[in-house]
Amino acid sequence: MILLSTPTSPFGRKVKIAASVLGLKDRIEIQKADPWTEGVLREKNPLGKMPALLTDDGRTIYDSGVILQYFDLLLDAPRLFPADPQKRIETATCHALGDGLMEAGILIAYEKLRRPAEFCYEPWIEHQRGKLSRGLASLVRQAPDPRVADAGTIAIACALGYFDWRKQIDWRADFPSLIDWLEQFSAATPAFAATKAEH
């Protein structure tokens, strides 16, 4: 299989961690892709978004959440999205929160990095920061078990790692209890540290 991504994509990192956790890492070749230019990513994924997975039978799977579901299908029993209906909904909701945090963080980064400074719209940035603050506050109240690597915890960890890099929010100062959560996740899931990009 081929994974189209970049070292700095938090969604790509999520897929890489999941592949490692499930023992699928050696079955995947990573190819660097660029969503901002014409190339294989746009050819394979009409949305031009990362990551995209090219399967051995010629299919293209996107986005990262669907790739994680596909990984589960390669196993004897699902591990990223548990089979138990109640636990599956809880994990999927946590996964949606992690993805939403990453999406809001990316929108802030793009507003600052891709839009000319004179056109940067601060109310839009603050709107996205509100999502980050509310989302992280909800995690403080009810965080998933950091010792379990599933779709939800992996997404949350990748969001926090992304904020450490792009600094969209000073989460370590504002939500210090999540520092211990991330440290526990990193200790239980070595792939988190192993997938950290050198910026």
Side-chain angles (χ1 to χ4, degrees), residues 11-192:
F11 292 101
R13 186 182 192 185
K14 181 178 74 171
V15 171
K16 293 172 197 172
I17 292 171
S20 182
V21 165
L22 299 180
L24 299 173
K25 179 182 175 183
D26 292 340
R27 293 177 56 182
I28 298 173
E29 173 191 342
I30 299 171
Q31 290 186 6
K32 191 171 182 180
D34 183 358
W36 296 97
T37 60
E38 293 293 338
V40 65
L41 181 63
R42 291 185 184 182
E43 292 170 9
K44 296 298 184 179
N45 178 356
L47 302 176
K49 296 173 68 175
M50 296 181 295
L53 183 74
L54 313 183
T55 67
D56 295 334
D57 59 3
R59 288 181 291 167
T60 302
I61 299 175
Y62 53 86
D63 60 6
S64 62
V66 182
I67 295 172
L68 264 56
Q69 292 181 55
Y70 176 72
F71 284 171
D72 261 353
L73 294 176
L74 299 178
L75 308 176
D76 292 334
R79 288 176 52 195
L80 298 174
F81 295 94
D84 176 78
Q86 185 60 41
K87 289 181 180 177
R88 185 176 182 84
I89 292 298
E90 290 173 2
T91 300
T93 301
C94 185
H95 176 257
L97 176 61
D99 272 11
L101 290 170
M102 286 187 277
E103 288 166 3
I106 285 173
L107 289 174
I108 293 172
Y110 281 178
E111 186 74 11
K112 290 176 172 287
L113 297 171
R114 294 285 174 173
R115 190 184 295 274
E118 63 269 26
F119 299 120
C120 236
Y121 190 52
E122 282 300 325
W124 171 254
I125 292 173
E126 287 308 309
H127 178 67
Q128 302 306 323
R129 281 207 184 102
K131 296 178 186 179
L132 302 186
S133 295
R134 294 190 302 273
L136 294 176
S138 74
L139 282 174
V140 170
R141 293 191 298 271
Q142 192 172 9
D145 188 343
R147 298 166 299 177
V148 176
D150 59 24
T153 55
I154 293 171
I156 295 298
C158 288
L160 295 176
Y162 187 58
F163 303 152
D164 274 339
W165 175 41
R166 288 294 193 192
K167 313 295 183 191
Q168 299 95 332
I169 188 171
D170 190 359
W171 70 270
R172 291 178 179 270
D174 296 342
F175 304 96
S177 65
L178 294 179
I179 298 172
D180 180 61
W181 186 93
L182 188 60
E183 288 175 351
Q184 288 187 58
F185 178 86
S186 185
T189 309
F192 181 71

